[in-house]
Amino acid sequence: MTFLSPLFLVVLPLALLPALLHFWGRGRSRIFPFSHVALLQEAVRDWMSWERIRRWALLAARIGLLTALILFWSRPVLHRGGGALSASGQRAVLLLVDASYSLGATREGRTAFASVLARGRDILDNTRAGDRAGLIVYSDRVESELPITEDVARVRRELAAARLTFRPTDVAPAVGLARQWMRKESGAKSAVILSDLAAHGWRNVVSSTAPRGGIGWVLCEAGTAGDNAALVGADAVLDPASDRLRGRLSVAAWGAPARPERPWSLFVNGRSLARGRVPVLGGVAAAEFLSAPVAGRGAAAEVEARLDPDALPADDPLYWMAARPSAPSFLIVNGAPNLSPVSDEAYYLRPVLEAWARDGARFQSVLPSELAEADLSPWNALVFLNVGPLPERARRNVEGYVRGGGGLWTTVGDRWEESGRLAVLPSGSGGFRDVDEGVISGGRENDPLPALCSPEWDWKSARVKRLLAWTPGGDARVLLQTRESRLPVFLLGSAGAGRVAVLTTSVDRDWTNLPAKPIFPVLCREALSHIGRLDAPPEETPRVVGEPLEWKRRGAGTGKIRRPDGSEDVSTERDGRWRYEQTDLPGFYRLLDAVGGPATIAVNVDRSKGEGDLSLVSRDHAARALGGTGMTWVGPEENVGRALEGRPLAPILARLILAFFALETFLLWRWRKS
Amino acid sequence: MILDPTWLARLAPLELRARVRTEGAAAGRHAGLRRGLSGEFIGQRPYAVGDEWRRIDWKAYARTDRWTVREARMESPLSSTLFLDVSRSMAFSAEGRLPKIRYAALLLSLLAAVLVRRQEGCGLGLVNDHVVKHVPSRTGAEALARLMSVLEGASAAGATDIGRALDEARPALARRGVVVVASDFLQPLEGWLPSFRRLSAAGHDVIAFQVLDPVELSLAISGSRRFEDLETGGGMTADPEIVGARYRALMAERQRRLTRSLTGMGVEPALFETDEPIDVALALFLRRRMERL
């Protein structure tokens, strides 16, 4: 028998403490001169024999409890016929090597992954002729595998070839595969998990009943530092109105970081543009707002934020493409162009359009007849001004555009014909009406444009003389209506994936004075932003290490990829799509022209988040998740070879501790009762 | 020994009444065995030769023409003997209370004072397994002073054998009277009850003052102790919290048996616990006895 933590044996003599106290206490019983000891003797005659037994039993239970506790902490291992590597007959050991990026944490200048590999080698070195071994290198997936074989040397080579990945940890797939392999094995079998045993990797392990003659699980702790800080988020974008990158960095910290602040630096397109310090407090997420000038006005910039490296450097950088929000574009379809600008409905939209154009918005005016052939996909929305019935092809083009997600704003004028109404409009009309009424808000708080429902807007001065008596249908929401007759003036609806806005009167001073009111530009901008989906944040799909990259790009059959480490690789094109799968490093992957010119497309690949908390999984959770015949936990300083060589006595000692504790409790309870 | 005057004041109206007829030539308060002219009238009888002429009831002769003689019971003084157990077990005390021997000595001193103030005789015996000292019954202040001096000087020594000691002292109790024995009576009952029976049978009014420390009744002490017997020196270790209940049950049973046995043989038992005020306890005893007799 050997002890994995023999230091605890130093305190073994403490187990005799109850005996010392017992005899010391007995010798020091206070003398009480008494007049009637005979009666006392009679009183205790029945009780004394039981009491004597109880006292000795209590003493034995206490000594046993202390002895078992100390032995439990000293981790004894029995060498006769227990563990995988000490049992006689066929023996199998399967190494599960954690290659997730949290193993990149350094301790005393050595990464946890290096420790893991060294421990794996030790185990393989201790195998004997006839032993079988296997290897699973895993992150959140099985990275490489070598089924259990008698060729231990091959396992050793595979282990040496294992590389640290930038993937997160999920031990479940590896454990599942190990169970599957071990089920086929007979004789003594141990599965050794070589990992930092961080809790984040054990969320998905499902408890399993071990197969017959179950697996002895050995968990080898790599011993990483508990404190860590990581960049966990960045939402910086290029300001479309300036040459600056604006946004925010999010930093999370676990444990008790030694430094209260950590320097950070920001690189845009490879150039260092900003730096600062961010507070780092254990258990508290911090945010750092940043604003950095960016040269050039490209659509996107390669941004790398980097915390000053700590024990786990892999989670200190963060890569992302900072996009410049594209400028909105609107296609104005003028149904009644006039020579006189003031007679043109577009004239009244001019204040809106000019102000918006200064912010980068783009407008183009076309005639209805041009819609049949026009490519409408680049436009955020179409603006119909007094457009009459459209030709069939143009109608189909517009309706397809709207149902596919495009926006449509239409005003009604004297060219309106009910028979030519677009099907995407929210229901129909009942003819023109002369009303000459004021306008009131018909919206509610949860309407798509709540700003227009605000009481601060003065709609009362706006009047409508003539409008189309519109009957809202479908999901149409009336935002403006006439004061007395409650006829819709402005309403919003949807068609397929697209959004539609209808102004039931003309942008003409003879029909309404609405365009002359200060609220009108606001109405137009809000409504156009809504139907053009400018108010929705751009959807971004995070790309993480290990997942393939795909581009849509016309070109030759092969192209070059410049990887984050500067090396170049080849990407192939198939059916107009480029694909690259060796994304094993975080950073920017650039697709170069076939001739090796400048990068035409850059894509960021990042580590997945959620590995920063390096706190250990609880032993109970691990034991429940793994099942099997038992679990041995080997600390970072302990000898894994010894743990494997014998049967750990910890479970037996744990039962003994419970038994002694129960005996002591029973004896004390009986004492109280007697 | 100086008795607190307040104790004496409390006991002043009380007396120790005897259940038996006392013997004595002198006149006293207690009903005596002898008949005479004075005293409590008990009846008439025909004149017989030898009767004194002065005892003839002449008024009755005038009415009946027969000589009749008046008879009256003569009252004589009470003759009491107090016995104090001075064995080593009486040295016990707990929690700072008076040792039993001191409590019993004070108790008997007070009783002696009560008797002497009533011009009644009082003797004393110190006993353990034999009669250590005997003071014959006398009356008067000098006798009381001597008794108190002896009681004050009493110290606990020797083993207990109350029965043997009383048997030894019995011949000295020439006249019938009250015999008060103050002891803890913790020795086996069989050893001393026959002596009490013999005393009672001899016509003495026997009173047993059992003086105990409360701890002897309840064993109410905490922590494991080594109990050493005051008389035999033997010992044992026990935890009163564990054996207390059993001890109390046995003690209660023993006390019941003691009371039953003593009462059965005409002995009046009285229990005094050393945490009770002596004067109050004695006054209570005397008052109850006066009410009863």
Short mmCIF file of all heavy atoms in Angstrom, two decimals, chain A residues 238-246 292-297 324:
data_model
loop_
_atom_site.label_atom_id
_atom_site.label_comp_id
_atom_site.label_asym_id
_atom_site.label_seq_id
_atom_site.Cartn_x
_atom_site.Cartn_y
_atom_site.Cartn_z
N LEU A 238 -17.95 50.73 -36.95
CA LEU A 238 -17.43 51.95 -37.55
C LEU A 238 -18.55 52.95 -37.65
O LEU A 238 -19.64 52.63 -38.13
CB LEU A 238 -16.86 51.65 -38.94
CG LEU A 238 -15.58 50.81 -38.95
CD1 LEU A 238 -15.26 50.37 -40.38
CD2 LEU A 238 -14.43 51.60 -38.37
N ASP A 239 -18.28 54.12 -37.17
CA ASP A 239 -19.29 55.16 -37.22
C ASP A 239 -19.46 55.59 -38.69
O ASP A 239 -18.48 56.00 -39.33
CB ASP A 239 -18.82 56.34 -36.36
CG ASP A 239 -19.91 57.37 -36.24
OD1 ASP A 239 -20.88 57.31 -37.02
OD2 ASP A 239 -19.79 58.24 -35.36
N PRO A 240 -20.67 55.47 -39.25
CA PRO A 240 -20.83 55.82 -40.66
C PRO A 240 -20.62 57.30 -40.92
O PRO A 240 -20.33 57.69 -42.05
CB PRO A 240 -22.27 55.40 -40.97
CG PRO A 240 -22.96 55.37 -39.65
CD PRO A 240 -21.91 55.00 -38.64
N ALA A 241 -20.76 58.13 -39.89
CA ALA A 241 -20.65 59.57 -40.12
C ALA A 241 -19.26 60.09 -39.82
O ALA A 241 -19.01 61.27 -39.96
CB ALA A 241 -21.67 60.29 -39.24
N SER A 242 -18.37 59.25 -39.34
CA SER A 242 -17.03 59.74 -39.03
C SER A 242 -16.02 58.64 -39.31
O SER A 242 -16.38 57.55 -39.73
CB SER A 242 -16.95 60.17 -37.57
OG SER A 242 -17.07 59.04 -36.74
N ASP A 243 -14.80 58.95 -39.05
CA ASP A 243 -13.75 57.96 -39.29
C ASP A 243 -13.33 57.32 -37.97
O ASP A 243 -12.16 57.12 -37.71
CB ASP A 243 -12.53 58.65 -39.93
CG ASP A 243 -12.88 59.16 -41.30
OD1 ASP A 243 -13.85 58.66 -41.87
OD2 ASP A 243 -12.20 60.08 -41.78
N ARG A 244 -14.31 57.03 -37.16
CA ARG A 244 -13.97 56.49 -35.85
C ARG A 244 -14.64 55.14 -35.64
O ARG A 244 -15.70 54.84 -36.21
CB ARG A 244 -14.40 57.44 -34.74
CG ARG A 244 -13.67 58.76 -34.76
CD ARG A 244 -13.97 59.56 -33.53
NE ARG A 244 -13.22 59.10 -32.36
CZ ARG A 244 -11.97 59.45 -32.10
NH1 ARG A 244 -11.31 60.25 -32.93
NH2 ARG A 244 -11.36 59.00 -31.04
N LEU A 245 -13.97 54.38 -34.82
CA LEU A 245 -14.54 53.10 -34.36
C LEU A 245 -15.09 53.35 -32.97
O LEU A 245 -14.39 53.84 -32.09
CB LEU A 245 -13.43 52.05 -34.29
CG LEU A 245 -13.84 50.68 -33.80
CD1 LEU A 245 -14.54 49.90 -34.91
CD2 LEU A 245 -12.61 49.89 -33.34
N ARG A 246 -16.33 53.06 -32.79
CA ARG A 246 -16.94 53.31 -31.49
C ARG A 246 -17.57 52.01 -30.99
O ARG A 246 -18.14 51.26 -31.78
CB ARG A 246 -18.05 54.37 -31.59
CG ARG A 246 -17.55 55.72 -32.03
CD ARG A 246 -18.71 56.71 -32.07
NE ARG A 246 -18.37 57.89 -32.86
CZ ARG A 246 -17.66 58.91 -32.39
NH1 ARG A 246 -17.23 58.87 -31.13
NH2 ARG A 246 -17.39 59.93 -33.15
N ALA A 292 -11.86 55.06 -31.33
CA ALA A 292 -10.53 55.14 -31.93
C ALA A 292 -10.67 55.59 -33.38
O ALA A 292 -11.60 55.17 -34.08
CB ALA A 292 -9.86 53.78 -31.87
N PRO A 293 -9.77 56.46 -33.83
CA PRO A 293 -9.83 56.89 -35.23
C PRO A 293 -9.40 55.76 -36.15
O PRO A 293 -8.50 54.99 -35.84
CB PRO A 293 -8.84 58.05 -35.27
CG PRO A 293 -7.90 57.77 -34.16
CD PRO A 293 -8.67 57.05 -33.10
N VAL A 294 -10.10 55.65 -37.27
CA VAL A 294 -9.79 54.61 -38.24
C VAL A 294 -9.51 55.28 -39.58
O VAL A 294 -10.33 56.06 -40.06
CB VAL A 294 -10.97 53.62 -38.39
CG1 VAL A 294 -10.64 52.56 -39.43
CG2 VAL A 294 -11.29 52.99 -37.07
N ALA A 295 -8.36 54.98 -40.12
CA ALA A 295 -8.00 55.58 -41.39
C ALA A 295 -8.79 54.91 -42.51
O ALA A 295 -9.05 53.70 -42.45
CB ALA A 295 -6.49 55.43 -41.64
N GLY A 296 -9.20 55.65 -43.50
CA GLY A 296 -9.92 55.09 -44.64
C GLY A 296 -11.39 54.94 -44.34
O GLY A 296 -11.84 55.04 -43.19
N ARG A 297 -12.16 54.72 -45.36
CA ARG A 297 -13.60 54.61 -45.17
C ARG A 297 -14.11 53.31 -45.75
O ARG A 297 -15.09 53.26 -46.47
CB ARG A 297 -14.31 55.81 -45.79
CG ARG A 297 -13.98 57.15 -45.13
CD ARG A 297 -14.78 58.27 -45.73
NE ARG A 297 -16.20 58.09 -45.58
CZ ARG A 297 -16.89 58.46 -44.50
NH1 ARG A 297 -16.27 59.05 -43.50
NH2 ARG A 297 -18.19 58.25 -44.43
N ARG A 324 -19.07 48.89 -41.15
CA ARG A 324 -19.63 50.24 -41.21
C ARG A 324 -21.07 50.07 -41.68
O ARG A 324 -21.31 49.49 -42.74
CB ARG A 324 -18.86 51.10 -42.22
CG ARG A 324 -19.20 52.58 -42.16
CD ARG A 324 -18.53 53.34 -43.27
NE ARG A 324 -17.07 53.25 -43.24
CZ ARG A 324 -16.29 54.01 -42.47
NH1 ARG A 324 -16.83 54.91 -41.66
NH2 ARG A 324 -14.99 53.89 -42.51
#
